[in-house]
Amino acid sequence: MNHRTRLDWMYFFSYLYHNRVLNRQKITLKSPIKWVPVIGWSLQTAGYIFLNRKANSDEENIRRSLKYFEELGCKPNTLIFPEGTDLSPNNLSRSWAYSERKGMPKYDFVLHPRVKGFVWYVQTLRQVGGIQAVHDITVGYPDDIVCNERKVVLGHLPGQVHFHIKRYSIDQLPLDDKGLEDWIRTRWQEKEDRLHKFYSQEHSKRLFDGCQYRQPNFFRAGVLWLVLFMWCIAACWFIKLILISWPFRIYCTLLSVFFVSVTVKYGGMGRLEMEVYEKLHKPALKWAVKNN
């Protein structure tokens, strides 16, 4: 997916929910997010992959996570952002400078993808046998482009978010690294052209050309609003208990200490889960095979 704002992945949840695959979604995110109380801890527990922007440690973490998912047979959908960062004015300026140095075309609506990371990801998934297809996702905002978390907290959300999705079977992708580099660059040129047409239209008429729009499921949308309402009530009760109940405050303190300790020592709940799996489950399997 192109990374227009820091919140693209959050808006994508709605699409995944309506298509009933939200429970299989995994996302590669920046490491600082895992430290955010409650939200970051929840993402850790859900098995999301956090990156430290250090090639060696990140590659080992991703390889280990992908292999773990494959051995469990959970077949997740893993969302990655080949650009590596969002389309902020500063990042766009740096992308233009990079384009000039490399003699590459300047983009206005996307950043040049980090092809080596994408190639490594695909080839690693091929090695562990955990890839059947690559979905090329282009995100566009017809009206408001909400770029930061502060605006969301204040209730400023985009009226619509459009996703253009095209599926490529893994058999359609080149086998060699150079071919994959050319493939991802071609997809990003297509994104630039697609978004140029999208944003050239009037705000009220912005649509992706040449695709079939799926009508919203109002029943599932209603369920989502009901769940949101229940979460708001739960949040109010949570705050009330924090204020009036000292046992609940102790419980929250211990829970916070636990998550912080796990994050410091293991890198997160997902990493702890893999540690337990590798130390207990795998030896048990080997023992069973040996004694049979």
Side-chain angles (χ1 to χ4, degrees):
M1 181 191 288
N2 61 302
H3 207 351
R4 178 61 186 86
T5 77
R6 296 203 301 260
L7 306 172
D8 300 324
W9 60 276
M10 187 177 70
Y11 302 138
F12 193 55
F13 281 167
S14 178
Y15 169 82
L16 296 169
Y17 166 76
H18 282 290
N19 284 272
R20 305 181 183 185
V21 291
L22 181 58
N23 62 316
R24 292 167 48 191
Q25 183 68 19
K26 307 294 181 186
I27 305 177
T28 53
L29 298 170
K30 296 177 182 177
S31 185
I33 296 176
K34 69 183 179 183
W35 293 96
V36 179
V38 183
I39 296 175
W41 301 340
S42 300
L43 297 177
Q44 287 184 31
T45 307
Y48 284 30
I49 303 172
F50 296 94
L51 305 181
N52 295 309
R53 300 295 183 88
K54 296 179 181 178
N56 292 335
S57 61
D58 284 344
E59 287 182 4
E60 176 58 28
N61 181 29
I62 293 171
R63 181 184 292 108
R64 188 180 177 192
S65 299
L66 296 178
K67 193 171 186 298
Y68 172 65
F69 296 148
E70 178 61 21
E71 290 183 0
L72 290 182
C74 63
K75 297 182 179 180
N77 298 316
T78 307
L79 176 63
I80 65 173
F81 297 98
E83 293 161 310
T85 189
D86 63 302
L87 189 71
S88 67
N90 185 45
N91 290 331
L92 184 59
S93 297
R94 288 193 289 181
S95 181
W96 284 351
Y98 174 81
S99 301
E100 290 179 355
R101 291 197 308 270
K102 298 295 184 179
M104 302 170 72
K106 287 185 178 180
Y107 292 153
D108 294 315
F109 301 100
V110 295
L111 305 175
H112 281 282
R114 301 182 181 184
V115 295
K116 291 185 178 179
F118 172 79
V119 169
W120 181 89
Y121 217 106
V122 171
Q123 299 294 40
T124 300
L125 278 168
R126 278 173 165 162
Q127 290 174 9
V128 302
I131 183 169
Q132 288 78 42
V134 173
H135 291 78
D136 177 24
I137 306 168
T138 305
V139 59
Y141 297 85
D143 38 45
D144 295 334
I145 300 178
V146 181
C147 297
N148 58 61
E149 296 81 0
R150 180 176 175 273
K151 290 185 177 180
V152 172
V153 172
L154 295 176
H156 186 195
L157 294 166
Q160 295 182 20
V161 182
H162 291 201
F163 295 102
H164 179 283
I165 303 175
K166 185 173 182 179
R167 184 182 187 276
Y168 293 89
S169 169
I170 190 59
D171 297 329
Q172 295 177 263
L173 272 66
L175 295 174
D176 62 296
D177 291 357
K178 180 61 170 60
L180 283 172
E181 290 180 7
D182 294 339
W183 186 89
I184 189 65
R185 287 195 177 103
T186 301
R187 300 290 80 76
W188 245 250
Q189 179 64 64
E190 292 173 353
K191 286 181 186 293
E192 174 71 12
D193 297 339
R194 186 179 299 126
L195 289 167
H196 176 75
K197 293 179 181 178
F198 181 83
Y199 287 111
S200 296
Q201 304 172 69
E202 295 180 19
H203 285 256
S204 60
K205 298 180 180 179
R206 284 177 177 171
L207 296 171
F208 284 122
D209 288 340
C211 63
Q212 181 180 359
Y213 272 78
R214 182 170 296 180
Q215 295 300 315
N217 187 318
F218 292 105
F219 173 76
R220 291 185 66 82
V223 172
L224 197 59
W225 278 108
L226 177 61
V227 171
L228 178 61
F229 176 71
M230 294 174 63
W231 269 107
C232 290
I233 294 177
C236 292
W237 271 102
F238 180 86
I239 295 173
K240 182 178 180 180
L241 287 172
I242 284 285
L243 295 174
I244 66 174
S245 173
W246 65 265
F248 190 72
R249 287 197 293 270
I250 293 175
Y251 167 77
C252 292
T253 301
L254 292 175
L255 196 63
S256 300
V257 170
F258 171 76
F259 272 103
V260 171
S261 301
V262 168
T263 305
V264 170
K265 185 172 183 179
Y266 296 100
M269 282 296 296
R271 299 283 293 275
L272 174 59
E273 185 179 325
M274 286 187 283
E275 289 277 352
V276 173
Y277 172 81
E278 292 171 356
K279 289 183 179 180
L280 299 181
H281 184 68
K282 282 189 174 181
L285 288 179
K286 292 179 181 178
W287 181 84
V289 171
K290 183 178 178 180
N291 285 272
N292 286 333

